Amino acid sequence: MGTERLTGLRAALADEGTALLGAFCGIPRLEVVQIIGYTGFDLVILDGEHGLFDASALPGLIAAARGAGLQVVVRVPRLDPQVISAALDAGADGVLVPHVRTAQEALLAVQACRFPPRGIRSLHGAVAAARYGTRPDYLSAANTDCACIVMCEDAQALEAIEDIAATPGLDAVFVGPFDLSASMGHVGQPAHEEVVAATREVFAAAARAGVAAGVMAAAPGAVAGWFADGARFVVAGLDTVMLREGAAATVAATQIRASR
């Protein structure tokens, strides 16, 4: 990080006292985003990789998240500077870049998040993030505000994790245990002991590099343990899963099905 004075989500992730609880949102409805905020989550990740929306839905969803008191990260569908720029132009506090496997890819992700001379992000002073031209400090503040988070979810990334974590300007490494488990030969077993051990190795590499670590918890009961292991942000839920489980619990509580 050097001596740069960070702000926004970048500053929060750099703070060792941070403990952000997040949720993935793949349903393109502002009501879903608002519910995530109003029920106590700190951060929402708008899922542009697996979610049911594209960049055109982002401004409204981000505005809804802001109104509900949430930090907003967009998981972009791929490592693509134009796609990353579009998410940040829409007003996201940061991006989550999937399947980053090498330090070179991590550096490209960081550069895509920063305006020149620190990066290659395209400049536009009248987008939503700039309050359509009414934020005079936008071009300078965006570099210190917007967080670049890369996902470690491949066995190849584990081999390069020290170099990935040490990428200049990177804010956090986030472990995706579901894809990681598949890549390690344990398909559908995100809580497998080898996957858990690998996640802790990622945390250790992040700590050595002075960047934040995060993870998707396999179950809500695992969240506290990940924070204890050094995570600064943990994703504890997915909107579709929370909706399914809530609906199933409601049906079960009626005891109607059992009596049929």
Side-chain angles (χ1 to χ4, degrees), residues 62-160:
I62 290 171
R66 291 264 189 276
L70 290 163
Q71 297 267 20
V72 191
V73 170
V74 174
R75 175 157 68 175
V76 293
R78 60 191 177 277
L79 174 52
D80 181 322
Q82 192 280 327
V83 173
I84 290 171
S85 180
L88 296 177
D89 284 352
D93 296 301
V95 293
L96 180 63
V97 184
H99 295 290
V100 171
R101 301 176 178 91
T102 67
Q104 291 78 12
E105 291 179 346
L107 181 59
L108 178 57
V110 171
Q111 291 176 334
C113 291
R114 311 280 179 252
F115 290 128
R118 297 188 180 183
I120 61 172
R121 181 180 169 192
S122 180
L123 280 73
H124 194 308
V127 292
R131 299 174 191 162
Y132 306 103
T134 65
R135 184 182 176 186
D137 67 338
Y138 170 62
L139 293 180
S140 60
N143 276 352
T144 59
D145 278 350
C146 298
C148 180
I149 308 167
V150 298
M151 292 192 72
C152 175
E153 50 187 343
D154 302 273
Q156 184 181 349
L158 295 176
E159 297 172 3

Side-chain angles (χ1 to χ4, degrees), residues 46-68:
L46 303 177
D47 194 354
E49 183 184 21
H50 296 292
L52 304 174
F53 55 84
D54 57 24
S56 65
L58 290 178
L61 296 173
I62 290 171
R66 291 264 189 276

Side-chain angles (χ1 to χ4, degrees), residues 23-36 44-54 57-58 60-62 64-65 75 237-245:
F24 273 110
C25 176
I27 301 173
R29 294 292 305 185
L30 63 87
E31 295 90 348
V32 175
V33 173
Q34 289 171 326
I35 289 169
I36 289 171
V44 64
I45 301 175
L46 303 177
D47 194 354
E49 183 184 21
H50 296 292
L52 304 174
F53 55 84
D54 57 24
L58 290 178
L61 296 173
I62 290 171
R75 175 157 68 175
L238 291 78
D239 54 356
T240 51
V241 173
M242 291 187 287
L243 176 60
R244 183 199 72 211
E245 291 179 346

